[in-house]
Amino acid sequence: MQHNSQQAIEHLLTIRDWIRFGVSWLNQSQAHFGQGTDNAQDDSIFLVLGTLSLPLDELDPYLDARLLQTEREQLFEAFRRRCIEREPTAYILGQTWLQGLSFRVSPDVLIPRSPISELIAQGLEPWLEISPTQILEACTGSGCLAILAALTFEEANVVATDISPKALEVATLNVADYELQDRISLVKTDLLQDIAPDPVFDLIICNPPYVNTQSMRALPKEFLHEPDLALAGGTEGMDLVIPLLEQVSTRLKSDGWLLLEIGNEQAYFEAMFPKLNPIWLQTANADNQIMLLSAKQLQDVTAITPNRTV
């Protein structure tokens, strides 16, 4: 449903008006959520407050504040992009939040939303017997998980890799925002390919592109604004998982772990690697989407050899 911009700008005077208007337009346009928010009300609030540079955790004092003409014009354009162009709110604002932390984003990186963040914030208890001092994150994108890991495990040095130079530019800004340049090293490479043999790692984290080809074709329009490079995992979603397991197998300490997210591709993973028996982890919003694999499991060459008959 199209809206008359002049009418909206003239009659929507307060923040409360614009949040209500936004919820209506998002619902009428059948907008899709799941890229930082999961419902129309939160998305509308995030877009209104973000556009106006207001704090996200202090809505009430501003609800009945009257807006300038220029502010109302900015809000209409933001909602037009969200509802007509179907741009994700995080890209419109250039910012999103994960585990209470703000991260810069651009269309060169996946919008941070991985449930791995919840597990990291909990310190991966009870699986890590000691706090890791050497961590690697492959496919870092915006750098959000590497930053969360560095903030959670305060003694750790973190190496974060990505094949995309533009993604690493965004990650560099985020690392600088948290003043972690001395503890997080960003490396342009494919998975672990160009990482020096030393050190070996206590923990390797990866949220690779894993969306299978059929699911890629069915993605909502909002997700088409995200880079294919960060989403598409091939026919079974395993195109990067296969080389990752091989590369990780020699890069973990004897008591180390691989923390791997594969989304809704559990069936494909189990068919491809029938001899692996991962520990499937549960989070508030994800069951059987994230696994832990031990260094010992990954050193079994037969177990990490893919079943090509899938």
Side-chain angles (χ1 to χ4, degrees):
M1 178 177 176
Q2 296 279 357
H3 283 270
N4 182 294
S5 60
Q6 196 57 45
Q7 188 177 51
I9 290 166
E10 286 178 5
H11 294 285
L12 302 173
L13 302 179
T14 67
I15 287 177
R16 188 190 301 272
D17 291 340
W18 278 95
I19 290 172
R20 196 283 310 157
F21 172 77
V23 171
S24 295
W25 200 356
L26 286 163
N27 286 332
Q28 289 162 359
S29 65
Q30 297 184 317
H32 192 89
F33 309 102
Q35 293 166 295
T37 63
D38 61 8
N39 63 81
Q41 178 169 302
D42 287 349
D43 210 67
S44 184
I45 291 170
F46 185 26
L47 190 52
V48 170
L49 296 184
T51 300
L52 298 174
S53 301
L54 290 172
L56 295 180
D57 56 351
E58 295 182 36
L59 175 60
D60 287 350
Y62 303 104
L63 270 174
D64 295 308
R66 292 168 69 89
L67 301 177
L68 299 171
Q69 171 85 4
T70 54
E71 291 175 321
R72 301 201 299 271
E73 290 171 355
Q74 289 173 342
L75 284 172
F76 186 87
E77 174 59 13
F79 277 110
R80 187 199 64 78
R81 290 172 62 184
R82 179 68 185 90
C83 298
I84 302 301
E85 305 298 332
R86 300 290 284 276
E87 288 183 52
T89 292
Y91 286 159
I92 296 170
L93 299 176
Q95 177 194 37
T96 195
W97 293 77
L98 189 67
Q99 292 296 316
L101 299 177
S102 172
F103 295 101
R104 302 179 194 229
V105 292
S106 81
D108 296 312
V109 298
L110 198 72
I111 295 168
R113 54 182 175 272
S114 172
I116 285 179
S117 62
E118 179 184 328
L119 299 169
I120 293 174
Q122 294 167 354
L124 270 175
E125 294 180 352
W127 308 107
L128 296 183
E129 294 180 6
I130 58 171
S131 185
T133 58
Q134 298 291 343
I135 299 173
L136 182 139
E137 190 213 352
C139 306
T140 195
S142 65
C144 61
L145 295 182
I147 290 167
L148 283 166
L151 294 174
T152 300
F153 304 110
E154 296 179 357
E155 302 301 315
N157 290 313
V158 182
V159 176
T161 75
D162 205 287
I163 199 171
S164 165
K166 290 185 178 295
L168 290 172
E169 289 176 10
V170 177
T172 299
L173 295 173
N174 282 320
V175 169
D177 284 344
Y178 288 93
E179 299 182 347
L180 289 168
Q181 301 95 316
D182 59 336
R183 293 180 49 218
I184 299 178
S185 302
L186 297 169
V187 181
K188 181 187 176 298
T189 186
D190 188 2
L191 300 175
L192 284 71
Q193 195 166 290
D194 297 327
I195 300 299
D198 293 316
V200 287
F201 297 95
D202 303 289
L203 175 66
I204 295 176
I205 301 165
C206 190
N207 174 23
Y210 54 67
V211 182
N212 69 64
T213 300
Q214 185 175 352
S215 295
M216 283 293 294
R217 295 193 189 108
L219 285 176
K221 292 178 182 177
E222 282 84 350
F223 290 85
L224 301 180
H225 289 273
E226 295 188 296
D228 271 5
L229 188 66
L231 288 170
T235 305
E236 298 93 10
M238 296 294 112
D239 280 10
L240 267 81
V241 173
I242 292 169
L244 175 73
L245 296 185
E246 183 179 341
Q247 292 176 30
V248 166
S249 65
T250 59
R251 304 311 309 274
L252 283 171
K253 295 180 183 177
S254 59
D255 58 351
W257 294 95
L258 169 65
L259 179 64
L260 174 63
E261 179 175 341
I262 59 163
N264 297 315
E265 311 300 345
Q266 180 185 12
Y268 279 126
F269 181 89
E270 291 178 339
M272 187 72 74
F273 301 101
K275 295 182 181 179
L276 281 176
N277 185 27
I279 299 167
W280 292 99
L281 304 180
Q282 314 303 314
T283 70
N285 298 307
D287 292 340
N288 298 335
Q289 297 185 11
I290 302 169
M291 71 183 79
L292 271 175
L293 288 162
S294 70
K296 183 177 180 180
Q297 287 175 289
L298 292 164
Q299 287 164 1
D300 182 346
V301 175
T302 61
I304 64 171
T305 300
N307 175 16
R308 297 291 185 177
T309 62
V310 175

